[in-house]
Amino acid sequence: MKLITTATDLHDKYVIVRASFNVPVSDGVVTDRYRIDKCLPTLQFLQESGAKVIVIGHIGREVEDTLSPVFTVLAETLPITWGGKLDTEIFNSAHHSLKPGQLLMAENLRQDPREKANDLEFVNMIATYGEIYVNDAFDNIHREHASMVGLPKIMTAYAGINLDKEIQNLNNAMQPNQPSLFLLGGAKFETKLPLVEKY
């Protein structure tokens, strides 16, 4: 995908951004905003370009997990509105009312099982909210979920600024200066093992 900063004429265009917001939350408060901050350059670029931005993502592993605490953090920096669940009267009304440079945040996509199932009907429903798709969720790029692989198949798609930087850094890590030290972390090592075996 091309980098979103290469796109022209974003003013007044509806742009869906798949962001990485799976951050730790305690008592309804975000305790580490690193991933949120990494997505800000893409969101700010789109805002300054006059796009109408729909922000989607997921958080946690439970159906009741909500992105509301993430919204609270984003609202400190950006002109963003909470829309709640997609395909509801409240969300649709907020979407229709968006003005250039404004953002609208959707609730945790994984509250709908069709996200993880990469359900085509769900993909098509999300796509109705935008004209352009931007993937800025590097840590989820390996998942075959509706918002990750379904949307770029049917929409004009771009990479976000954070995603582009992560891929550049990963490419650099594949050819490190010698001697070098490789540190690998994560909750599920089995998803990282293929990378180790490849290189």
Side-chain angles (χ1 to χ4, degrees):
M1 292 186 288
K2 294 180 180 178
L3 183 59
I4 185 58
T5 54
T6 67
T8 58
D9 193 23
L10 291 169
H11 185 79
D12 208 30
K13 295 283 180 64
Y14 283 100
V15 179
I16 297 174
V17 178
R18 179 40 163 108
S20 177
F21 291 145
N22 193 21
V23 298
V25 174
S26 179
D27 296 324
V29 177
V30 172
T31 58
D32 184 346
R33 54 180 290 164
Y34 176 79
R35 287 182 175 172
I36 299 173
D37 290 339
K38 296 295 281 185
C39 191
L40 286 178
T42 295
L43 298 179
Q44 289 169 332
F45 168 78
L46 291 168
Q47 180 216 345
E48 291 165 5
S49 298
K52 299 175 180 178
V53 187
I54 297 87
V55 186
I56 60 174
H58 84 275
I59 190 167
R61 299 177 184 274
E62 305 301 325
V63 137
E64 63 270 17
D65 289 331
T66 177
L67 279 169
S68 179
V70 175
F71 166 77
T72 299
V73 174
L74 287 173
E76 296 171 2
T77 307
L78 297 165
I80 190 166
T81 300
W82 176 252
K85 290 186 178 182
L86 294 170
D87 203 25
T88 63
E89 186 175 339
I90 292 174
F91 189 91
N92 293 343
S93 176
H95 177 267
H96 181 72
S97 300
L98 271 180
K99 292 180 172 53
Q102 294 182 337
L103 297 87
L104 175 64
M105 187 166 187
E107 180 58 282
N108 178 11
L109 291 176
R110 291 191 185 175
Q111 288 187 0
D112 192 315
R114 294 178 296 174
E115 162 67 359
K116 292 178 74 172
N118 191 19
D119 180 84
L120 182 58
E121 181 180 320
F122 190 60
V123 171
N124 288 330
M125 182 271 287
I126 300 174
T128 63
Y129 291 108
E131 302 163 82
I132 295 170
Y133 170 82
V134 177
N135 188 333
D136 211 27
F138 176 78
D139 59 316
N140 291 297
I141 205 166
H142 62 292
R143 299 194 183 281
E144 196 171 343
H145 293 172
S147 64
M148 297 301 300
V149 300
L151 290 175
K153 289 180 179 177
I154 63 172
M155 300 180 69
T156 300
Y158 291 88
I161 295 169
N162 178 55
L163 176 62
D164 183 65
K165 286 183 178 178
E166 291 279 10
I167 291 173
Q168 288 181 35
N169 290 334
L170 184 59
N171 287 336
N172 291 338
M174 294 301 100
Q175 298 177 339
N177 294 325
Q178 299 296 333
S180 62
L181 174 65
F182 178 59
L183 300 175
L184 183 65
K188 293 178 281 188
F189 184 74
E190 65 273 10
T191 64
K192 285 78 178 177
L193 186 58
L195 181 65
V196 176
E197 291 174 336
K198 181 175 181 179
Y199 294 99

